[in-house]
Amino acid sequence: STWGLRCMGGLMRLNLTRVFVQAHTAPLCVKHCSSFRVGRHSLRSLSTSSFRVQDKTMGDYSHIADNIQQMKQKIQHIAVQCGRTAADKPGEDVPMLLAVSKTKPVEAIQAAYACGQRHFGENYVQELVEKAPQLPRDIRWHMIGHLQSNKVKQVMDIPNLHVIESVDSVKLADKINSAAAAVGRRVCVMVEVKTSDEESKTGVSSETDARALVNHIHTACTHIDLVGLMTVGHPDESKAEECFKSLRALRDSLATELGHPLELSMGMTGDMEEAIAQGSTEVRIGTAIFGAREYKQKTDTHTHTREPLVHTTCFCFVGLYVYSAIKSKEHRCMQLFLFNLFCFSVLKHPLRLTVFLWDTQMLAR
């Protein structure tokens, strides 16, 4: 019994000391490690990418204007090669450039705006809602990402929302129509059609469903104007052309039935040549204009949420087992020592205090 008490006391002191050391040395370690990383990165950047690092830290977006000009020239060149427009008649039948500003700061969008770009596309509702009020009102916003029904109202509050390109269900169309009616406005939409076999892609998955959705919008949604179709091509360029061909055929058929022209939003940086050749009226370009996207690191909230629950469950089961053994009045101190050894190796600091208080009550009996 005496040996057990001494071991348990030593274990308590060891854990308390460890907690104290971790709490007081962790910030210091992080500080020095951060300084080392910055220093190492600075030395490396001097020899490899000093200009790139300087542009990022100083917020230099001068390259955006050049990228937009080059992209417009490239689109014009492809349209001429495809026979959509003559070389001496620039812009006659050339797709519109939609600058996709997903994950990019307001300053980058302002740089594009300063050189004449007015159409911008966003994938996430939260970003669109945050950016729109900070930028000029004559910007025409395109919602090109998947839109959830419960976020339609947020998008509808943006006065210069130009078009929602990702309508893929009757439910979403009805929600948009109701929200538009509530604020007294009309909204332009495109029907997103899934033309590839990728499971990760969204959109209406068949021509029959696409026709049914288009007819529903045309006949039942009085505050929605259907202006076109949208699709994301297959990553394989050899298959992307077939995706664009099928969407163009569907567009031509629907335009004839409805009696008015429909736009085609298709083509991105990697497949815009095939899209333009198949009649795209809008190409969505992001990386080639703004540079590589930078996503915020997401913490694994699922793991952090489950961890305390798992530890608490272990604590309860082991506690019940040890308590039943203690009731037999045999080797109480040794059982408490083993119990502490398990709990202090698994549980977090707040629960360790609970174990300590419980031990104190058990030993006092």
Side-chain angles (χ1 to χ4, degrees):
S1 298
T2 304
W3 179 82
L5 284 172
R6 290 177 179 177
C7 290
M8 185 177 66
L11 184 63
M12 292 289 185
R13 288 192 296 273
L14 177 61
N15 278 277
L16 291 174
T17 303
R18 185 177 63 182
V19 172
F20 179 83
V21 171
Q22 288 178 348
H24 288 77
T25 60
L28 184 60
C29 294
V30 171
K31 179 180 179 181
H32 285 291
C33 290
S34 300
S35 299
F36 173 73
R37 287 196 298 267
V38 171
R40 183 179 61 182
H41 179 71
S42 299
L43 291 175
R44 183 186 302 169
S45 65
L46 287 175
S47 59
T48 58
S49 57
S50 59
F51 294 103
R52 187 181 307 167
V53 172
Q54 183 180 7
D55 289 347
K56 182 177 179 180
T57 56
M58 295 181 64
D60 184 5
Y61 301 105
S62 59
H63 63 285
I64 292 178
D66 296 334
N67 292 344
I68 290 178
Q69 183 63 27
Q70 292 175 10
M71 186 55 59
K72 288 182 177 180
Q73 292 176 356
K74 184 175 182 180
I75 293 173
Q76 172 74 24
H77 178 69
I78 296 173
V80 170
Q81 285 187 324
C82 297
R84 289 183 53 173
T85 183
D88 58 345
K89 295 181 179 180
E92 186 179 59
D93 185 18
V94 176
M96 182 191 70
L97 173 61
L98 178 65
V100 180
S101 49
K102 176 175 64 174
T103 76
K104 293 303 175 182
V106 171
E107 292 78 10
I109 301 175
Q110 288 175 332
Y113 176 87
C115 65
Q117 182 66 28
R118 292 296 180 269
H119 289 264
F120 293 88
E122 286 289 341
N123 289 69
Y124 306 120
V125 173
Q126 187 61 35
E127 281 195 53
L128 179 56
V129 171
E130 291 177 357
K131 293 175 182 178
Q134 305 178 54
L135 292 161
R137 291 287 294 271
D138 60 335
I139 284 181
R140 299 180 179 182
W141 292 105
H142 296 234
M143 181 63 200
I144 61 176
H146 179 65
L147 179 60
Q148 297 176 344
S149 298
N150 61 348
K151 295 185 178 180
V152 169
K153 187 178 182 302
Q154 298 180 48
V155 175
M156 210 58 58
D157 291 335
I158 301 173
N160 50 336
L161 175 68
H162 184 63
V163 59
I164 300 174
E165 299 191 10
S166 51
V167 178
D168 58 0
S169 68
V170 171
K171 177 184 176 182
L172 180 58
D174 289 340
K175 190 73 175 181
I176 295 173
N177 186 65
S178 300
V183 296
R185 64 179 295 185
R186 300 188 65 84
V187 180
C188 295
V189 302
M190 291 186 180
V191 170
E192 182 178 5
V193 182
K194 182 180 178 181
T195 55
S196 67
D197 56 357
E198 294 179 276
E199 295 182 359
S200 60
K201 294 293 189 296
T202 58
V204 185
S205 57
S206 69
E207 180 178 337
T208 302
D209 293 339
R211 288 181 178 276
L213 178 55
V214 167
N215 290 330
H216 176 78
I217 294 174
H218 183 66
T219 58
C221 299
T222 57
H223 286 76
I224 290 181
D225 294 323
L226 180 67
V227 296
L229 305 178
M230 186 268 271
T231 194
V232 178
H234 198 282
D236 187 347
E237 293 184 6
S238 62
K239 297 180 180 180
E241 186 174 2
E242 292 299 322
C243 296
F244 301 145
K245 281 183 179 180
S246 63
L247 189 70
R248 179 179 182 175
L250 178 60
R251 189 278 309 266
D252 293 343
S253 176
L254 290 172
T256 301
E257 294 177 8
L258 298 176
H260 63 81
L262 295 174
E263 302 291 330
L264 280 178
S265 174
M266 58 186 192
M268 297 184 286
T269 304
D271 55 15
M272 68 176 181
E273 292 186 17
E274 293 82 0
I276 295 174
Q278 294 304 321
S280 174
T281 60
E282 173 190 291
V283 290
R284 307 181 299 271
I285 307 297
T287 303
I289 294 176
F290 296 103
R293 297 187 179 99
E294 297 179 4
Y295 295 92
K296 296 180 180 179
Q297 294 183 352
K298 296 182 179 180
T299 57
D300 190 353
T301 54
H302 183 63
T303 302
H304 289 299
T305 303
R306 288 183 57 192
E307 191 174 289
L309 179 61
V310 172
H311 290 163
T312 304
T313 304
C314 293
F315 170 73
C316 293
F317 277 106
V318 175
L320 289 174
Y321 174 77
V322 174
Y323 180 72
S324 62
I326 290 174
K327 294 294 287 186
S328 65
K329 307 297 184 181
E330 297 177 358
H331 308 294
R332 173 178 293 188
C333 292
M334 180 58 68
Q335 291 167 347
L336 286 176
F337 168 71
L338 295 175
F339 177 49
N340 277 275
L341 184 63
F342 171 79
C343 291
F344 274 72
S345 63
V346 175
L347 302 179
K348 297 296 183 181
H349 301 316
L351 289 178
R352 291 176 181 175
L353 178 60
T354 305
V355 174
F356 175 75
L357 296 176
W358 184 78
D359 290 340
T360 304
Q361 293 181 355
M362 294 300 299
L363 290 174
R365 296 179 181 178

